[in-house]
Amino acid sequence: MNSDIVPDSEHRGLVARLPQLPRDLAQLARFDRPIGWWLLFWPCVFGVWLAGAGAQFALLGWLLLGSIAMRGAGCVYNDIVDAELDRQVARTALRPVASGRVSKKLAWGWLIALCLVGLIVLLQLRWQAQLVALGSLALVAAYPFMKRITWWPQAWLGMVFNWGLLVGWSELRWDNWDALAAVYAGCICWVIGYDTIYALQDREDDAMVGIRSSALAMGAKVQAGIAGFYAATIALWALGFWLYRPDPLALLALLPVAGHLVWQVASLDANDPANPLARFRSNRWAGALMAAACFVVGNAGA
């Protein structure tokens, strides 16, 4: 068991070459699954590029580091809280804390170390953005408990995972909050859609141990439900773009990402174990397409 890697891990070769303890810590922070920090990072890019201040590569570099560190910290915290539940779900039973390979004491120490990296990133931002970033802490702390009290923990995750949109924006400007609110709401719908796809992997186990999810809430209509949330995503992003730049041509920038989300729904096969994970991971490209749209709309005519 000590050498096993969780089923949805990526970069198995790199992780497998590490000694046991560093490997366990890497898995605990999900460094073997970069899709998580990509999905945390892309909304940061949305906010920076929609703000219309150019590429801002130095700022994005700091936000990328912060995304990797804080996504890792969030995963460590989640695994500490969910250790007992994780032991009862096939896909998560081998996680380092759930399996006993990493003690909770060591996990807390690793969590603090990752948070210190996040603090370094926080100190690079202006005070307005710092306050906005700190505002996410309560949402992050509450997230692991949402699957116990609501059928829609994905909605809470959407608020958490897209907070970087607000941080990136507030680092560069402090206006047009109506447009940003619409984009943020669209991002929440995007997360509900893609995390429902991810949750399809665990429907049977989740139902047995009492974990709630949107995939279970939607039941047999899950594919139509995902399509509905993705449609709301594009509609709200379009509203945000319109409030920011009322130009019909600006809306055309959303066509590539809209097409990608349509492909995800049309090609989704909940009965094929590999299919939902592949569609979920493809959202790194959806994020890239939306980031490109934000750059075009934010910097057009600049």
Side-chain angles (χ1 to χ4, degrees):
M1 181 178 292
N2 285 356
S3 61
D4 284 338
I5 296 175
V6 291
D8 55 348
S9 174
E10 296 184 45
H11 300 294
R12 293 169 180 263
L14 178 61
V15 172
R17 292 189 188 99
L18 294 173
Q20 187 66 50
L21 182 58
R23 182 194 313 167
D24 289 336
L25 293 178
Q27 289 182 18
L28 187 55
R30 310 291 198 275
F31 291 159
D32 56 329
R33 284 181 280 170
I35 180 59
W37 54 257
W38 273 118
L39 294 176
L40 193 62
F41 174 61
W42 280 127
C44 300
V45 184
F46 301 168
V48 171
W49 281 359
L50 191 59
Q56 296 286 329
F57 288 127
L59 172 59
L60 291 180
W62 282 113
L63 293 175
L64 176 60
L65 177 61
S67 297
I68 295 171
M70 297 315 296
R71 185 264 186 153
C75 289
V76 175
Y77 173 68
N78 189 79
D79 282 12
I80 292 171
V81 173
D82 280 351
E84 296 303 321
L85 285 176
D86 284 346
R87 293 188 184 104
Q88 303 175 62
V89 177
R91 186 179 56 81
T92 59
L94 294 180
R95 286 178 174 172
V97 176
S99 66
R101 299 196 310 274
V102 172
S103 69
K104 287 191 176 181
K105 182 178 180 180
L106 178 56
W108 278 112
W110 183 218
L111 172 62
I112 292 170
L114 291 167
C115 287
L116 288 175
V117 176
L119 177 61
I120 292 172
V121 174
L122 183 71
L123 294 176
Q124 311 308 309
L125 306 177
R126 67 175 184 162
W127 69 266
Q128 293 96 330
Q130 290 176 355
L131 291 178
V132 171
L134 291 172
S136 69
L137 294 181
L139 293 174
V140 173
Y143 170 67
F145 303 97
M146 290 300 109
K147 64 176 70 74
R148 296 166 171 85
I149 63 176
T150 175
W151 288 102
W152 296 93
Q154 283 73 21
W156 197 273
L157 182 68
M159 291 189 288
V160 172
F161 248 59
N162 293 299
W163 204 262
L165 171 76
L166 311 180
V167 175
W169 179 270
S170 58
E171 173 65 13
L172 297 170
R173 57 191 302 169
W174 200 256
D175 61 350
N176 286 100
W177 290 101
D178 56 345
L180 195 68
V183 174
Y184 180 66
C187 288
I188 292 174
C189 292
W190 178 41
V191 172
I192 295 173
Y194 72 58
D195 203 59
T196 299
I197 292 174
Y198 187 74
L200 289 173
Q201 302 172 93
D202 297 330
R203 280 188 298 181
E204 291 78 10
D205 286 340
D206 286 351
M208 289 175 58
V209 302
I211 296 175
R212 301 179 181 185
S213 76
S214 55
L216 289 173
M218 294 181 194
K221 298 180 179 179
V222 65
Q223 195 159 3
I226 293 167
F229 278 107
Y230 277 171
T233 297
I234 297 301
L236 286 163
W237 282 349
L239 174 61
F241 281 9
W242 185 263
L243 292 172
Y244 182 80
R245 187 182 297 279
D247 180 350
L249 292 178
L251 303 183
L252 296 178
L254 288 171
L255 289 179
V257 65
H260 181 86
L261 297 183
V262 168
W263 167 79
Q264 283 188 39
V265 174
S267 62
L268 181 64
D269 181 359
N271 297 316
D272 176 2
N275 180 282
L277 183 59
R279 298 302 173 275
F280 166 74
R281 285 178 176 163
S282 75
N283 280 283
R284 75 185 69 189
W285 302 114
L289 293 170
M290 177 56 179
C294 287
F295 187 85
V296 170
V297 173
N299 293 276

